[in-house]
Amino acid sequence: MPDQGCAHIDAIDKVKQAKRRECEDCVKIGARWVHLRTCQACGGTRCCDDSPNRHATKHARGTGHPVISSAEPDERWLYCYPDDAFTDY
Ligand SMILES: [Zn+2]
Ligand SMILES: [Zn+2]
Ligand SMILES: [Zn+2]
């Protein structure tokens, strides 16, 4: 991984991919999502900030899990919340 001053992203050697192409929290409440993000700490997949419920960000803030990847098939990037660091892989 390129050095962006983020130890969280530097520590990732294999990017976790979405197990299912759905937001696990939206599914529970019957909500809809726009894009999907996968937590690199626990592998959970949740919805992006363009989605009404912003579950990926809520999960990161609630758990302290720092890094998400895009779960969109044509996107390959990681984002770290505490460092506000964004990197392609
Ligand atoms: Zn970081
Ligand atoms: Zn959601
Ligand atoms: Zn997580």
Side-chain angles (χ1 to χ4, degrees), residues 15 17 69-78 86-89:
V15 176
Q17 304 294 333
S69 67
S70 175
E72 299 302 312
D74 53 345
E75 295 180 354
R76 290 171 63 85
W77 53 258
L78 298 164
F86 186 84
T87 190
D88 294 315
Y89 68 89

Side-chain angles (χ1 to χ4, degrees), residues 12-73:
I12 293 170
D13 49 35
K14 189 167 190 317
V15 176
K16 287 185 172 66
Q17 304 294 333
K19 295 184 194 76
R20 301 167 70 102
R21 303 239 341 114
E22 58 188 31
C23 170
E24 57 190 67
D25 290 342
C26 282
V27 164
K28 286 177 200 156
I29 60 174
R32 302 175 67 119
W33 57 86
V34 180
H35 301 296
L36 294 169
R37 309 295 181 232
T38 299
C39 176
Q40 295 299 300
C42 66
T45 295
R46 294 179 175 81
C47 55
C48 71
D49 283 358
D50 293 329
S51 308
N53 292 291
R54 302 182 179 185
H55 284 129
T57 295
K58 279 182 192 158
H59 171 77
R61 301 228 188 283
T63 58
H65 293 169
V67 180
I68 54 167
S69 67
S70 175
E72 299 302 312

